[in-house]
Amino acid sequence: MLGNSKQVVTNQDGLHPRLAEHVKRHLSTPWRGPIAEHTQQAFAEIAAWIQQSLMANAPLILDTGCGTGRSSVYLAEKYPQHLVIGIDQSEDRLRRARIRFPQLPHNLYLARAEAADLWRLMAAAGWRLEKHFVLYPNPWPKAAHLGRRWHGHPAWRELLLLKGELVCRSNWRLYLDEMQAALAVSGIEAQVTPLHIDVAEAEQAITDFEEKYALSQHSLWQLTAQL
């Protein structure tokens, strides 16, 4: 994988000045946007898979934005006593995931779903996660796009309702600093730490983005919080 990724370019020089305002508004006002039909179907299929599984009572791990499945397969193999759900909004990426990993671990289910919609359905149904991985989300680096970052999105409240350990990784430190600040506004403590990936040991990178950024000599960061 080529190490030629560009650094994130932003017109912000620090935390977004309206971050706390966005977070407080979303915490106080439940999101009522329409839920995509394909996500409603995905939720029903995931629920049926869990119910039919021999591990129906196992703790749940959600891998939001799983892409072509590398991180989801890694998580399913690392946590064999958990049920892992990998979701992505792109049917094409999931199709490539099934080609890339023709035999998925028995404790892994991949589904096409809009993340915010699925979080809302899960939260409304009372689902609680053991762990939630959000690995290298789109940074939306323009200041005008704060509302598209997960910590500025209307679904922030639903993300928090899912509980569990939140793990978010990025090559843009400001994204995680903002998420840490948003969690603080929400009454939750988070830690942001450097992430060291040995490019000579490819298995240490759990996503293609992570490997590409490491090869490009980007600094990588990880946020963890207990929701």
Side-chain angles (χ1 to χ4, degrees):
M1 184 173 291
L2 297 177
N4 57 0
S5 298
K6 295 180 180 179
Q7 295 282 354
V8 175
V9 177
T10 180
N11 59 348
Q12 285 185 222
D13 57 6
L15 300 183
H16 196 289
R18 297 185 62 191
L19 175 63
E21 173 190 334
H22 273 242
V23 173
K24 291 176 181 177
R25 181 171 72 249
H26 297 324
L27 288 176
S28 63
T29 306
W31 186 36
R32 301 299 186 190
I35 295 178
E37 183 176 348
H38 70 272
T39 302
Q40 294 178 355
Q41 180 179 345
F43 177 69
E45 291 172 354
I46 293 167
W49 172 71
I50 293 173
Q51 188 174 25
Q52 296 164 12
S53 171
L54 297 176
M55 301 168 57
N57 295 319
L60 298 177
I61 294 176
L62 181 62
D63 183 16
T64 290
C66 67
T68 58
R70 179 172 174 175
S71 55
S72 296
V73 169
Y74 167 87
L75 292 170
E77 292 175 345
K78 182 175 181 179
Y79 300 102
Q81 302 305 315
H82 293 63
L83 291 178
V84 178
I85 304 161
I87 62 167
D88 201 274
Q89 65 180 353
S90 168
E91 182 58 44
D92 179 64
R93 284 193 288 266
L94 291 172
R95 178 187 60 80
R96 286 186 280 139
R98 295 183 182 99
I99 294 172
R100 184 178 188 179
F101 303 104
Q103 187 66 43
L104 293 176
H106 73 280
N107 61 328
L108 171 61
Y109 191 91
L110 298 180
R112 177 180 174 240
E114 302 300 323
D117 291 353
L118 189 67
W119 296 348
R120 183 172 157 194
L121 290 169
M122 288 179 165
W127 290 22
R128 297 297 179 262
L129 303 176
E130 180 82 8
K131 297 178 183 292
H132 188 178
F133 289 84
V134 184
L135 303 176
Y136 301 93
N138 188 330
W140 294 106
K142 293 182 179 179
H145 292 161
L146 171 64
R148 301 185 186 185
R149 302 172 198 164
W150 285 130
H151 46 271
H153 193 280
W156 177 249
R157 176 177 175 272
E158 278 63 39
L159 183 154
L160 300 183
L161 286 173
L162 292 175
K163 303 296 184 180
E165 181 188 27
L166 175 65
V167 178
C168 184
R169 293 181 176 184
S170 180
N171 64 327
W172 188 33
R173 172 66 188 262
L174 183 57
Y175 188 99
L176 297 186
D177 286 344
E178 282 195 347
M179 182 171 281
Q180 184 181 40
L183 286 163
V185 171
S186 308
I188 299 168
E189 182 180 354
Q191 295 77 41
V192 176
T193 55
L195 183 65
H196 301 290
I197 302 296
D198 186 348
V199 293
E201 300 290 341
E203 66 271 13
Q204 289 194 15
I206 66 175
T207 73
D208 292 339
F209 281 120
E210 188 164 287
E211 183 177 349
K212 179 173 66 173
Y213 295 149
L215 288 170
S216 300
Q217 299 185 335
H218 289 200
S219 295
L220 304 179
W221 306 90
Q222 176 172 281
L223 174 143
T224 56
Q226 193 64 42
L227 304 185

